């Protein structure tokens, strides 16, 4: 078999093993429960209220945005955290010392991070089935839309997380900074309140990032067509959603490999040691 | 004449089969010149220890040989390939054990070793298959811990796993950067046995750095001392010790009194001692300059 293909297959099993580790590890599990729990709690408190002017519970209107948010969050922050931590602890260097190790490492990362992100979507959806009665009325077309939005959501966010993780000097700085940025973007992406309520220039900023479009895509899948009236142009804009998510995906997928290669090429044991010493000074 | 020609022939054979070759290797970080012309070569199957004070550039040298760092200048070949442009096929013939890792904490010992071992399968040369995982676990004494998570291993156990991962592909050239740091005496002895087995049975070329001179003495066919940015000494442990001093110190006691004498020919002196005093001699001890004496003298000379 072609060695690259062989390494990619090793990467698949690596990703599966790592995914299993995150769902059987108490610390990771707690993190998932808390973050997903917060989203579900939001839905729980909104289940009684209705959206003015529409026959729609507030929970039903919020749920799709939460799906988009959790997808983008798991994609970006997951990749940032993974790469910055694994540069420091030596995982990356270990991969570098193996024949085709970087390939199997990257395939493993993509698989395990994607599975974790999909798991997040499924968890929120599962909670939604109990709290949001409207979900029962979603047809096949809606579920297919959830499918393609999820896939594009991953390709639009994972590579960018990897790029940020490659530039970071320390895992703490990387996750801290990207959380802040992510929070800022999420705030103007119409997840918790409609983007139409924001100032015009904030609407432009919001629409420049994938989070808004992931939310919009999910709303188009899960809400009745009448709800489109509350959106910016009064429509679901599926083609624009597709175009923006594709653009972010293509740009990220073009940019990430050379940046990752450059970062991996520079990675050495002594660099890792130096970073670790800085880290222990921070703690000590 | 014929003897000289034979010797020449031998040297050529040695050169052709050199696993590692370095000449004029230079490395600077900014204005700080760490390596200023390092020359040495390691033949196939040889075990060589690279010694030197902290900051002498041992790790830098090893990282250049592993292809992890591009040198500022000089000629470097590992298995006939320039490390910075080595491909995956070349990489598969090397084993690397770096100074410290704390990665893959959630993986289990056996699981990780199997995962890494699989990477070598497409590259395995005939007669050099990757190690069987169970055999390897046994060899590094981790069989009882095979199902443990890496985060639960002690420092010494973790280090033994690092060594196992380094050799799982049955490498032709193995780089070990301070492999026995944190080992207890038993683990250290087991590790030495393993190195001997790798070198004797698999003809593995091994380059290791260590601060433990006793370990270098036991393991290495040859010792290199890196000091002042170049190789300050190159030879067998014995020959290095002899370079410092050919004298031996002899201690003995007779009639409750203790004596010390320094001489070049210890055997003749002791023979004379027994001829003269016979059974009266007690507590006899002959001590030659050790590798440690030699090392200290060399480093002092280079840095002084």
């Amino acid at each position: 078999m072609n060695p690259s293909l062989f390494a990619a297959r090793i990467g698949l099993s690596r990703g599966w093993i790592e995914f299993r580790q995150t769902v059987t590890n108490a610390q990771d599990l707690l993190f998932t429960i808390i973050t997903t729990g917060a989203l579900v709690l939001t839905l729980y408190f909104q289940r009684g209220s209705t959206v003015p002017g529409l026959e729609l519970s507030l929970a039903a209107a919020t749920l799709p945005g939460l799906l988009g948010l959790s997808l983008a969050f798991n994609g970006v922050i997951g990749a940032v955290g993974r790469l910055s931590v694994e540069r420091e602890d030596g995982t990356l260097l270990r991969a570098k010392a193996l024949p085709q190790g970087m390939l199997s490492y990257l395939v493993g990362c993509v698989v395990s991070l994607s599975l974790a992100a999909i798991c997040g979507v499924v968890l929120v959806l599962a909670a939604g089935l109990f709290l949001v009665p409207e979900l029962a009325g979603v047809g096949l077309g809606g579920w297919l839309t959830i499918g393609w939005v999820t896939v594009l959501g991953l390709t639009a966010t994972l590579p960018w997380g990897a790029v940020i993780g490659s530039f970071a000097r320390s895992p703490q700085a990387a996750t801290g900074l990207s959380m802040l940025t992510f929070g800022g973007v999420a705030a103007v992406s119409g997840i918790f309140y409609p983007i139409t309520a924001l100032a015009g220039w904030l609407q432009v900023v919001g629409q420049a990032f994938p989070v808004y479009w992931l939310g919009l895509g999910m709303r188009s899948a899960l809400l009745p067509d009448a709800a489109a009236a509350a959106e910016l142009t009064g429509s679901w804009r599926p083609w624009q959603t597709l175009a923006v998510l594709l653009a972010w995906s293509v740009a990220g997928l073009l940019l990430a490999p050379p940046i990752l290669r450059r970062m991996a090429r520079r990675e050495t044991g002594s660099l890792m040691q130096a970073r670790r010493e800085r880290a222990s000074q921070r703690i000590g | 004449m014929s003897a000289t020609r034979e010797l020449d022939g031998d040297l050529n054979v040695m050169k052709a089969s050199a696993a590692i070759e370095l000449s004029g290797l230079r490395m600077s970080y900014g204005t700080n010149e760490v390596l200023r012309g390092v020359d040495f070569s390691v033949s196939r199957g040889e075990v060589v220890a690279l010694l030197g004070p902290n900051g002498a550039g041992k790790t830098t040298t090893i990282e250049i040989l592993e292809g992890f760092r591009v040198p500022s200048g000089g000629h470097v070949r590992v298995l006939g390939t320039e490390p910075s442009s080595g491909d995956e096929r070349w990489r598969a013939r090397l084993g690397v054990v770096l100074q410290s890792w704390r990665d893959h904490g959630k993986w289990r010992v056996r699981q990780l070793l199997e995962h890494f071992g699989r990477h070598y399968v497409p590259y395995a040369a005939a007669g050099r298959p990757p190690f069987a995982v169970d055999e390897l676990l046994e060899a590094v004494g981790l069989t009882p811990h095979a199902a443990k998570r890496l985060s639960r291993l002690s420092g010494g156990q973790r280090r033994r796993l690092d060594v196992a991962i380094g050799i799982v592909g049955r490498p032709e050239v193995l780089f070990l950067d301070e492999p026995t740091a944190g080992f207890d005496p038993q683990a250290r002895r087991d590790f030495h046995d393993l190195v001997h087995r790798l070198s004797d049975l698999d003809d593995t070329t091994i380059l290791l750095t260590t601060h433990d001179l006793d370990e270098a003495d036991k393991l290495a066919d040859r010792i290199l001392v890196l000091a002042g940015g170049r190789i300050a000494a190159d030879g067998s442990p014995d020959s290095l010790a002899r370079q410092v001093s050919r004298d031996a110190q002899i201690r003995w006691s007779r009639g409750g009194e203790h004596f010390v004498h320094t001489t070049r020919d210890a055997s003749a002196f002791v023979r004379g001692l027994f001829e003269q005093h016979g059974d009266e001699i007690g507590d006899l001890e002959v001590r030659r300059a050790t590798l440690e004496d030699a090392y200290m003298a060399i480093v002092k000379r280079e840095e002084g």
Side-chain angles (χ1 to χ4, degrees):
Chain A
M1 190 192 282
N2 170 318
S4 303
L5 209 63
F6 190 85
R9 266 186 31 189
I10 300 175
L12 288 182
S13 70
R14 180 184 174 83
W16 177 241
I17 289 171
E18 286 184 323
F19 172 68
R20 272 194 348 232
Q21 282 163 356
T22 54
V23 293
T24 52
N25 173 285
Q27 200 187 339
D28 291 332
L29 218 54
L30 197 69
F31 181 76
T32 314
I33 289 171
I34 289 173
T35 48
T36 314
L39 300 184
V40 172
L41 208 64
T42 313
L43 291 180
Y44 178 78
F45 285 123
Q46 291 180 339
R47 75 194 187 289
S49 344
T50 51
V51 182
L54 280 172
E55 302 249 319
L56 202 60
S57 75
L58 193 55
T62 314
L63 173 74
L66 293 183
L67 289 178
L69 184 74
S70 99
L71 196 57
F73 181 84
N74 283 320
V76 176
I77 308 293
V80 170
R82 176 70 77 80
L83 265 173
S84 55
V85 165
E86 296 196 337
R87 270 170 75 198
E88 188 166 281
D89 74 10
T91 308
L92 212 93
L93 209 53
R94 187 89 82 180
K96 220 178 135 177
L98 287 168
Q100 301 281 13
M102 283 310 289
L103 181 61
S104 70
Y105 171 75
L106 277 179
V107 171
C109 277
V110 169
V111 169
S112 59
L113 289 170
S114 302
L115 286 175
I118 291 169
C119 228
V121 168
V122 170
L123 277 178
V124 177
L125 269 177
L129 283 176
F130 290 100
L131 298 171
V132 183
E134 288 93 332
L135 272 191
V138 174
L140 180 64
W143 293 110
L144 282 179
T145 305
I146 291 178
W148 71 256
V149 171
T150 301
V151 170
L152 277 183
L154 289 173
T155 54
T157 54
L158 276 177
W160 290 99
V163 167
I164 300 169
S166 307
F167 280 119
R169 268 167 63 86
S170 80
Q172 292 87 345
T175 23
L177 205 66
S178 43
M179 287 274 233
L180 266 178
T181 319
F182 190 86
V185 170
V188 296
S189 292
I191 300 296
F192 295 103
Y193 37 83
I195 196 168
T196 45
L198 296 176
W201 68 275
L202 281 177
Q203 293 182 1
V204 174
V205 174
Q207 290 179 81
F209 290 96
V211 181
Y212 168 75
W213 299 98
L214 288 173
L216 181 65
M218 291 295 187
R219 281 196 294 279
S220 80
L222 295 174
L223 300 186
D225 284 343
E231 298 295 338
L232 268 180
T233 58
S235 95
W236 294 127
R237 293 194 282 170
W239 295 111
Q240 263 163 292
T241 305
L242 185 70
V244 173
L245 291 179
L246 267 179
W248 276 91
S249 302
V250 171
L253 290 171
L254 284 177
L255 203 62
I259 287 173
L260 281 170
R261 253 201 300 278
R262 176 174 154 276
M263 180 264 292
R265 202 171 42 235
R266 291 180 163 198
E267 199 61 23
T268 63
S270 15
L271 262 181
M272 186 171 85
Q273 197 72 26
R275 271 201 301 271
R276 191 169 304 170
E277 270 155 29
R278 274 206 308 275
S280 64
Q281 276 165 7
R282 275 200 299 272
I283 296 161
Chain B
M1 276 315 277
S2 71
T4 319
R5 218 175 297 133
E6 260 181 45
L7 201 64
D8 278 344
D10 278 346
L11 278 174
N12 284 334
V13 170
M14 293 262 289
K15 261 201 170 143
S17 65
I20 301 172
E21 274 184 309
L22 282 177
S23 64
L25 176 69
R26 285 183 298 105
M27 187 73 193
S28 336
Y29 298 110
T31 54
N32 180 20
E33 204 173 15
V34 180
L35 304 175
R36 3 175 142 201
V38 173
D39 304 281
F40 68 84
S41 77
V42 180
S43 316
R44 280 186 194 253
E46 208 178 4
V47 180
V48 172
L50 185 61
L51 308 181
N54 282 332
K58 302 187 295 289
T59 297
T60 300
T61 305
I62 295 244
E63 285 181 351
I64 290 170
L65 292 171
E66 290 161 345
F68 287 175
R69 208 176 257 288
V70 182
S72 312
H75 169 92
V76 188
R77 291 287 181 276
V78 174
L79 293 168
T81 298
E82 195 186 336
S84 56
S85 59
D87 60 4
E88 306 294 325
R89 188 168 297 278
W90 172 79
R91 166 93 30 227
R93 297 163 71 193
L94 307 186
V96 170
V97 178
L98 296 181
Q99 259 184 39
S100 62
W101 312 89
R102 48 173 194 192
D103 58 317
H104 289 94
K106 291 176 200 159
W107 288 65
R108 296 181 191 277
V109 171
R110 195 173 200 296
Q111 184 184 40
L112 188 64
L113 206 51
E114 262 171 5
H115 171 68
F116 284 156
R118 281 176 66 197
H119 286 78
Y120 294 92
V121 171
Y123 300 98
R128 266 190 111 80
F131 274 101
V133 169
D134 289 321
E135 188 191 335
L136 198 51
L137 285 173
E138 191 62 46
V140 296
L142 285 177
T143 307
H145 309 289
K148 264 195 193 164
R149 283 183 195 278
L150 265 63
S151 54
R152 296 282 167 85
L153 295 181
S154 72
Q157 289 164 352
R158 172 120 209 179
R159 205 68 193 122
R160 281 185 270 160
L161 178 63
D162 288 337
V163 172
I165 290 170
I167 62 177
V168 68
R170 212 180 287 264
E172 290 171 52
V173 175
L174 177 61
F175 297 106
L176 298 160
D177 204 356
E178 294 186 22
T180 53
F183 277 26
D184 62 27
Q186 180 63 48
R188 193 174 293 261
R189 167 158 306 177
D190 291 344
F191 171 75
H192 293 172
D193 291 342
L194 180 66
V195 168
H196 286 306
R197 272 174 53 196
L198 285 170
S199 137
D200 295 345
L201 302 179
D202 288 324
D203 206 27
T204 310
T205 308
I206 299 172
L207 180 64
L208 70 127
T209 71
T210 178
H211 279 298
D212 183 344
L213 294 164
D214 183 47
E215 176 167 282
D217 198 0
K218 277 186 185 135
L219 287 180
D221 302 321
R222 197 148 59 86
I223 284 176
L224 305 167
V225 180
L226 186 62
R230 47 173 65 90
I231 299 295
D234 179 349
S236 69
D238 262 1
S239 77
L240 287 194
R242 272 169 218 282
Q243 270 175 29
V244 174
S245 168
R246 293 184 173 277
D247 292 343
Q249 207 177 51
I250 297 154
R251 293 164 182 269
W252 71 96
S253 69
R254 185 166 62 87
E257 249 189 292
H258 288 269
F259 300 89
V260 181
H261 178 77
T262 304
T263 177
R264 195 152 278 200
D265 190 348
S267 315
F269 183 84
V270 172
R271 199 180 308 120
L273 207 61
F274 278 102
E275 271 167 11
Q276 207 178 339
H277 303 290
D279 289 350
E280 294 170 47
I281 304 292
D283 303 317
L284 180 73
E285 204 179 296
V286 178
R287 184 180 175 273
R288 286 197 181 277
T290 61
L291 179 61
E292 190 176 332
D293 299 328
Y295 173 79
M296 292 302 181
I298 292 163
V299 169
K300 200 171 165 191
R301 188 184 69 209
E302 285 301 315
E303 299 200 323

